[in-house]
Amino acid sequence: MVQKYQSPVRVYKYPFELVMAAYEKRFPTCPEIPVFLGSEILHESRSEDGAIHVIERSCKLNVDAPRLLKKIAGVEHVFFIQRNTVNWRERTLLIEAHNETFANRVVVRETCSYSVHPENEEWTCFEQSASLDIKSFFGFESTVEKIAMKQYTSNIKRGKEVIEHYLKELISQGITFIPRWSPPVAEEEEEERAPAVGRAPGAILLESGATGTSRERPASPCPPPEAASPDADKLDADYIERYLGQLTPLQESCLIRLRQWLQETHKGKIPKDEHILRFLRARDFNIDKAREMLCQSLAWRKQYQVDFILQSWRPPALLQEYYTGGWHYQDKDGRPLYILRLGQMDTKGLVKALGEESLLRHVLSINEEGQKRCEENTNIFGRPITSWTCLVDLEGLNMRHLWRPGVKALLRIIEVVEDNYPETLGRLLIVRAPRVFPVLWTLVSPFINENTRQKFLIYSGNNYQGSGGLVDYVDKDVIPDFLGGDCMCTVSEGGLVPKSLYQTEDESENSDHIRLWTETIYHSASVLKGAPHEILVEILEGESVITWDFDILKGDVVFSLFHSKRAPEPSHKEATSPSPSGAGDNVQLIDKTWVLGVDYSRVESPLVCREGESIQGSHVTRWPGFYILQWRMHGPLPCSSSSLPRVDDVLASLQGSSYKCKLIYYYEVLASKDFRGSMSSLESCTSGFSQLSGVTTASSQSQSSSHLSR
């Protein structure tokens, strides 16, 4: 398996020329980097005008490996070839390195770059990426991989410290400014020019350093904010530390790589960095597992429009009166504090009066509010705050709370929160736990993630009072009055919900159909081998616009758009599936007897859509008739003498007809006059679709066209 690393952008608040002078001090040897034993120049060249300078070096490194492994390998040191290309005109340095030792067994590639900060030309940015591919190593592949990754990551941040060390050394020598490169001038003008003209800044450095000349650096024009990211699509190391917290180099790399993948596949829909980081933490920074979990959650949020719940959800008066939970200042670490008086809550009454869906909706709004408060506290306290604390008072908990439908509702809520709000709970303080609590805990704990369970602190009786209790986590002036504190708490005291407010059986049945999930504008569908899913759109007059938006939840599919003058008859095809309802949300419209080009025609080229991708597009219709949106399983292409099927396609075909793809989709037909001109955002005057659209390219109204963004 190839190990990859991608650094955030690290910023030196010094000009490029000064940073390059500090960088050159690392050669030929660098005592500040113990593993770097020395280097030798193999090749050096310059362009005629001196703007481009290329140096190729052989670098000797010491490897901190077990003596036995070194003996088996037969080497004490390893050698790398490093090629540095500095462009004084563009003010960039590109560093490319690869291993020379064991090149046929291990492939190590590294690319680093220094460049001018895009918002402040007096600052310098540094980026680094690397890959490690161990093909074979005497049976010690896993050991070598661990040693290599450990050594590499331990030297990553050390590299910046070394540059800053040499920058300070230069400044202590009186070298604070090095003029920029400028092109050569004619001979007659050369004597009238300053000595710097047409010469590389490195030469000037040697002269100024030798004479001890001190040069003042001009003031920077309008420097950007402290944590400003050098690129909207990239993460600055200072920004990560300020807003996301201390991360190891590998954790930073995981965040950046997952973020880059989302930018490529979910344009216009990238979640916030702290949200991505929560999913990585929930999966111990395993990118593949975190990506799968995050994609499922993003599809869930999109399908059920959770992003708008704070604007759309207004808890009914009954819930406000009898739901015993609310926000209450923050704990000692600055985390928002949520208080839940569960023992005083009539869960049975609330479920009977409001239904499970209202409670779930309310809990979702609490979690959304919690994330919002974390962002606010991050700005208020000047440090990353990405989770909240929950204080649960269980006084009054009894067997009534173990009512089976109530426990079922609680378990479902826990499941939804665990799947979609991981690592948002920083600490859970449970106080006044009664004897019945172990029974409830036995029912609930299996559904709670192990990482979350480790954040639970449980106090029985009055153990929460005094040292070791609440005062260790919550300031005295914030402890609620009902727990012996001095702070008045506005959280409802709850009580029994009057039975007169309970829903009747008919009302309950009807409410089951008015569920949170039915408010989504998205439909779900399954695509099986030999059973595509197809949607019929009838266009009565030309110059209409068909728009679509869909997410691939599982598997790879091919999306196509067809036109027919005949009206197809929908049918639910029976397909082999491990589930009896495997094809229940699968509809076919194109009859097997139809001939492409005769009975129907293709108006959009097939588009291969990979698992996790989000696709938006549009088609300007040219003729009236019937348009068919089709999603079919992506299979291997026909083999020929010049082409072979992809490995992914072969693996998919081996899984047979039981392999099922899943997607959610939304489509809409708009009159051309309601479809806003440039189609740059797929906005319409009458549709909610515009809120979900991604960036698309310009269209032509004179012919049919499609616009897709991932």
Side-chain angles (χ1 to χ4, degrees):
M1 180 179 178
V2 179
Q3 295 286 348
K4 294 184 178 180
Y5 170 79
Q6 175 64 56
S7 76
V9 179
R10 307 193 189 281
V11 178
Y12 298 96
K13 298 179 182 179
Y14 298 92
F16 175 79
E17 290 72 21
L18 198 60
V19 173
M20 290 300 96
Y23 175 77
E24 283 300 319
K25 281 183 165 287
R26 295 174 46 172
F27 302 100
T29 60
C30 181
E32 301 298 321
I33 307 179
V35 298
F36 181 49
L37 302 179
S39 64
E40 177 185 353
I41 295 178
L42 302 177
H43 173 76
E44 184 173 5
S45 65
R46 297 177 187 271
S47 62
E48 289 186 5
D49 61 0
I52 308 296
H53 185 192
V54 179
I55 300 180
E56 190 170 290
R57 294 183 176 96
S58 174
C59 300
K60 182 180 179 180
L61 304 180
N62 183 35
V63 179
D64 184 15
R67 181 68 184 172
L68 176 61
L69 185 60
K70 286 185 176 182
K71 190 172 182 180
I72 293 173
V75 296
E76 285 291 331
H77 310 104
V78 295
F79 290 86
F80 276 73
I81 301 299
Q82 184 190 76
R83 178 185 174 89
N84 291 359
T85 304
V86 61
N87 187 326
W88 295 111
R89 180 186 291 107
E90 302 294 334
R91 303 177 77 197
T92 62
L93 170 63
L94 176 64
I95 306 169
E96 299 167 294
H98 65 273
N99 62 305
E100 186 177 31
T101 308
F102 299 118
N104 60 331
R105 295 179 178 272
V106 180
V107 179
V108 180
R109 298 192 182 279
E110 181 184 51
T111 302
C112 306
S113 66
Y114 289 86
S115 59
V116 178
H117 194 293
E119 295 179 6
N120 188 335
E121 62 181 13
E122 296 298 318
W123 288 1
T124 305
C125 296
F126 172 75
E127 288 185 80
Q128 182 177 11
S129 63
S131 64
L132 169 67
D133 184 9
I134 301 179
K135 301 180 183 298
S136 65
F137 205 87
F138 312 106
F140 291 91
E141 291 80 11
S142 177
T143 302
V144 172
E145 181 179 292
K146 290 178 181 178
I147 292 173
M149 294 304 295
K150 180 180 178 182
Q151 288 218 334
Y152 188 77
T153 54
S154 65
N155 286 288
I156 286 173
K157 289 193 175 180
R158 180 64 181 154
K160 182 179 181 182
E161 294 171 0
V162 170
I163 294 295
E164 290 176 339
H165 166 79
Y166 285 125
L167 283 167
K168 291 177 182 178
E169 186 177 285
L170 287 170
I171 293 171
S172 69
Q173 296 171 358
I175 303 170
T176 58
F177 170 68
I178 299 175
R180 299 179 188 177
W181 176 90
S182 58
V185 295
E187 281 188 24
E188 58 270 17
E189 299 179 10
E190 187 170 355
E191 293 182 0
E192 301 176 9
R193 297 273 183 157
V197 175
R199 307 178 66 182
I204 299 164
L205 165 67
L206 295 176
E207 292 176 6
S208 62
T211 60
T213 303
S214 175
R215 302 174 184 267
E216 293 298 326
R217 184 177 64 184
S220 168
C222 190
E226 285 291 314
S229 178
D231 192 312
D233 294 332
K234 298 179 180 179
L235 290 183
D236 180 353
D238 294 336
Y239 162 83
I240 291 177
E241 186 173 346
R242 166 63 179 84
Y243 291 98
L244 304 178
Q246 293 285 348
L247 301 178
T248 68
L250 286 182
Q251 289 173 345
E252 289 178 340
S253 176
C254 290
L255 172 62
I256 292 165
R257 288 165 57 198
L258 181 54
R259 190 175 185 265
Q260 287 176 342
W261 181 84
L262 286 168
Q263 288 171 338
E264 293 170 1
T265 59
H266 288 260
K267 285 187 177 178
K269 306 175 185 180
I270 305 300
K272 294 181 179 178
D273 298 320
E274 55 267 28
H275 194 67
I276 300 173
L277 187 58
R278 288 186 180 111
F279 284 84
L280 282 166
R281 284 186 169 132
R283 291 297 178 262
D284 295 323
F285 287 88
N286 182 307
I287 288 187
D288 292 334
K289 293 181 179 179
R291 177 171 56 195
E292 180 182 356
M293 183 183 186
L294 178 57
C295 284
Q296 294 290 340
S297 180
L298 290 177
W300 170 82
R301 296 182 69 87
K302 179 177 180 178
Q303 184 171 7
Y304 305 131
Q305 302 183 64
V306 179
D307 289 337
F308 309 109
I309 197 167
L310 288 179
Q311 293 78 32
S312 61
W313 168 245
R314 293 293 178 268
L318 187 148
L319 194 60
Q320 294 180 8
E321 182 177 356
Y322 291 99
Y323 187 85
T324 56
W327 294 101
H328 182 78
Y329 301 101
Q330 54 271 330
D331 68 5
K332 285 188 173 181
D333 295 323
R335 296 189 185 104
L337 178 62
Y338 190 83
I339 293 179
L340 181 64
R341 303 184 68 177
L342 186 60
Q344 304 298 315
M345 187 186 302
D346 181 9
T347 53
K348 180 178 181 179
L350 287 174
V351 172
K352 282 185 167 290
L354 295 171
E356 178 185 335
E357 291 297 320
S358 291
L359 289 177
L360 176 57
R361 187 197 299 261
H362 190 60
V363 172
L364 294 182
S365 70
I366 292 171
N367 280 272
E368 291 294 311
E369 176 68 22
Q371 292 183 133
K372 181 180 176 183
R373 286 173 178 261
C374 285
E375 292 179 28
E376 294 172 353
N377 284 14
T378 294
N379 293 323
I380 292 172
F381 294 103
R383 61 179 184 273
I385 295 172
T386 59
S387 60
W388 55 83
T389 293
C390 186
L391 173 58
V392 181
D393 179 18
L394 294 183
E395 185 183 53
L397 190 76
N398 53 46
M399 295 303 294
R400 179 182 176 85
H401 292 86
L402 301 181
W403 177 59
R404 185 174 181 82
V407 173
K408 179 183 175 184
L410 177 61
L411 294 180
R412 185 190 173 197
I413 290 172
I414 290 174
E415 182 180 8
V416 171
V417 172
E418 284 281 306
D419 288 344
N420 299 286
Y421 299 94
E423 298 299 316
T424 52
L425 181 65
R427 185 179 293 119
L428 182 67
L429 303 170
I430 299 176
V431 299
R432 301 199 283 194
R435 292 183 178 180
V436 74
F437 173 71
V439 180
L440 180 62
W441 179 249
T442 302
L443 295 172
V444 170
S445 60
F447 295 87
I448 302 175
N449 181 275
E450 177 61 29
N451 290 339
T452 304
R453 289 205 299 267
Q454 292 177 357
K455 301 171 185 177
F456 285 35
L457 293 171
I458 303 172
Y459 300 92
S460 60
N462 295 323
N463 292 342
Y464 68 91
Q465 298 177 345
S467 179
L470 290 183
V471 290
D472 287 8
Y473 307 101
V474 182
D475 289 326
K476 288 184 178 180
D477 57 354
V478 173
I479 295 177
D481 51 350
F482 61 84
L483 291 177
D486 298 326
C487 185
M488 294 296 296
C489 183
T490 59
V491 173
S492 170
E493 296 182 0
L496 294 177
V497 177
K499 291 185 178 181
S500 59
L501 299 178
Y502 286 7
Q503 294 177 344
T504 65
E505 187 173 344
D506 291 339
E507 289 174 333
S508 180
E509 289 179 358
N510 291 334
S511 68
D512 286 340
H513 297 288
I514 311 173
R515 303 174 71 84
L516 173 66
W517 313 136
T518 59
E519 295 185 6
T520 176
I521 60 175
Y522 287 86
H523 306 277
S524 59
S526 296
V527 179
L528 297 92
K529 186 176 181 180
H533 182 68
E534 296 167 341
I535 298 299
L536 181 66
V537 179
E538 184 177 4
I539 300 297
L540 300 178
E541 53 186 49
E543 293 297 316
S544 295
V545 181
I546 304 173
T547 61
W548 55 80
D549 181 4
F550 60 89
D551 284 52
I552 310 301
L553 305 183
K554 179 182 178 183
D556 299 340
V557 303
V558 178
F559 174 73
S560 301
L561 182 66
F562 301 98
H563 172 264
S564 173
K565 296 180 180 179
R566 297 170 53 185
E569 296 182 3
S571 64
H572 291 264
K573 180 177 178 180
E574 295 296 330
T576 305
S577 172
S579 169
S581 59
D585 51 358
N586 176 274
V587 179
Q588 289 86 60
L589 299 170
I590 300 176
D591 193 275
K592 281 188 174 182
T593 61
W594 281 21
V595 178
L596 183 63
V598 178
D599 300 287
Y600 68 111
S601 59
R602 189 190 303 275
V603 293
E604 287 287 349
S605 300
L607 177 70
V608 177
C609 311
R610 302 295 181 183
E611 181 175 318
E613 290 187 340
S614 179
I615 311 295
Q616 300 85 41
S618 62
H619 177 86
V620 181
T621 63
R622 191 172 181 180
W623 313 280
F626 300 91
Y627 288 81
I628 301 170
L629 286 71
Q630 182 196 76
W631 294 268
R632 61 178 173 84
M633 183 176 290
H634 176 52
L637 296 173
C639 296
S640 66
S641 58
S642 61
S643 65
L644 293 173
R646 294 170 56 253
V647 174
D648 291 346
D649 297 329
V650 174
L651 292 176
S653 65
L654 291 176
Q655 298 190 44
S657 59
S658 62
Y659 187 81
K660 181 165 70 171
C661 302
K662 293 183 179 180
L663 64 128
I664 58 171
Y665 66 90
Y666 170 75
Y667 70 94
E668 185 175 15
V669 179
L670 304 170
S672 58
K673 63 182 178 61
D674 292 330
F675 196 75
R676 291 185 180 170
S678 68
M679 296 175 68
S680 60
S681 63
L682 283 182
E683 290 185 341
S684 83
C685 299
T686 58
S687 169
F689 180 82
S690 58
Q691 297 173 330
L692 304 164
S693 302
V695 178
T696 59
T697 57
S699 72
S700 170
Q701 293 288 338
S702 62
Q703 59 182 3
S704 62
S705 58
S706 177
H707 310 276
L708 303 169
S709 68
R710 296 173 188 262

